[in-house]
Amino acid sequence: RLEPGTAVDVSEGTEITTAASTMYRDYIPVIFTGNYDNQYSTVEQLIAFQKEIINHQIANKDRYLIIGPYYLNDRWDHGTTLDLDAFETSMLQEYGNHFINIRKYLCSDGLTDAGLSVTKQDQDDIAHGLVPSSLRSTSDPSELNAIGYRLVGNLVFNRMDQLGYFKEVKDELGITALEKQERQEAAKS
């Protein structure tokens, strides 16, 4: 609501359409689900939900990104993580290059790309398949910190660029031609 109002009782099972559910249906969705969704005990359930979001679009149904979870529900502690490898493998098979495995990226290249030194705790986290502590919030270790989210943002931008999602904008601004010219000049050097 834009302003406070009277409470309204809604019967169980009533379909509710929010204003936001009808907005942005022609945008390119970046779907980041699975970290907090307690209703997904299987990857099939998670993929079905992600496909509902994709199919809800009125345009760009073939242009989307799926960002994999970096932990699932309350299974964050060492040795108790749900099999994220199985989730990630299934999502990669389902979505191909539309899928970004941020957990594996943050574990393998995140610290280096952020210019951070690996701590003993980071080594222990990585050995257990967890995002390094240096990339997680100190107040809530199930959240990434600013550095971690910046890395994810860069990864999303780069993947969207690789998939050609910015082609129309680049063409309109003449950036594609400029990039091509710069590559040709660099090759001559």
Side-chain angles (χ1 to χ4, degrees):
R1 298 180 183 189
L2 295 176
E3 27 184 90
T6 308
V8 177
D9 290 326
V10 179
S11 302
E12 184 176 333
T14 301
E15 185 173 324
I16 299 173
T17 304
T18 65
S21 72
T22 59
M23 299 168 64
Y24 313 113
R25 292 183 63 202
D26 58 346
Y27 283 48
I28 297 171
V30 177
I31 304 167
F32 192 179
T33 59
N35 283 336
Y36 307 108
D37 309 292
N38 291 326
Q39 71 243 34
Y40 308 118
S41 56
T42 69
V43 71
E44 292 79 16
Q45 292 171 333
L46 180 58
I47 288 173
F49 177 68
Q50 292 164 339
K51 287 192 170 271
E52 285 180 31
I53 295 171
I54 294 166
N55 291 328
H56 184 69
Q57 296 299 106
I58 55 175
N60 295 309
K61 289 186 182 195
D62 60 337
R63 293 168 42 148
Y64 59 88
L65 284 182
I66 302 293
I67 300 176
Y70 55 88
Y71 81 98
L72 292 174
N73 305 327
D74 57 355
R75 300 164 181 94
W76 182 249
D77 298 324
H78 293 243
T80 61
T81 53
L82 197 58
D83 189 359
L84 278 172
D85 288 327
F87 266 64
E88 293 158 345
T89 298
S90 293
M91 290 170 51
L92 179 61
Q93 289 171 346
E94 184 68 36
Y95 299 116
N97 61 2
H98 293 273
F99 172 67
I100 298 176
N101 188 335
I102 63 167
R103 181 181 68 97
K104 290 221 173 162
Y105 163 73
L106 292 172
C107 286
S108 63
D109 297 318
L111 294 169
T112 302
D113 289 354
L116 297 175
S117 298
V118 180
T119 67
K120 176 147 179 33
Q121 181 62 53
D122 292 332
Q123 290 173 339
D124 192 40
D125 291 337
I126 292 167
H128 288 89
L130 299 173
V131 173
S133 292
S134 294
L135 299 175
R136 290 188 271 142
S137 169
T138 54
S139 62
D140 181 356
S142 66
E143 290 288 341
L144 299 177
N145 61 24
I147 297 167
Y149 281 121
R150 184 172 22 95
L151 290 168
V152 171
N154 290 337
L155 200 59
V156 167
F157 176 85
N158 290 334
R159 181 64 59 86
M160 291 178 82
D161 193 33
Q162 289 169 358
L163 292 171
Y165 293 173
F166 304 132
K167 183 179 179 338
E168 295 90 0
V169 174
K170 285 182 170 185
D171 287 347
E172 189 170 317
L173 297 174
I175 294 172
T176 307
L178 181 61
E179 287 175 339
K180 184 178 179 182
Q181 181 183 358
E182 287 172 352
R183 279 194 303 269
Q184 288 172 343
E185 289 174 9
K188 290 178 186 176
S189 303

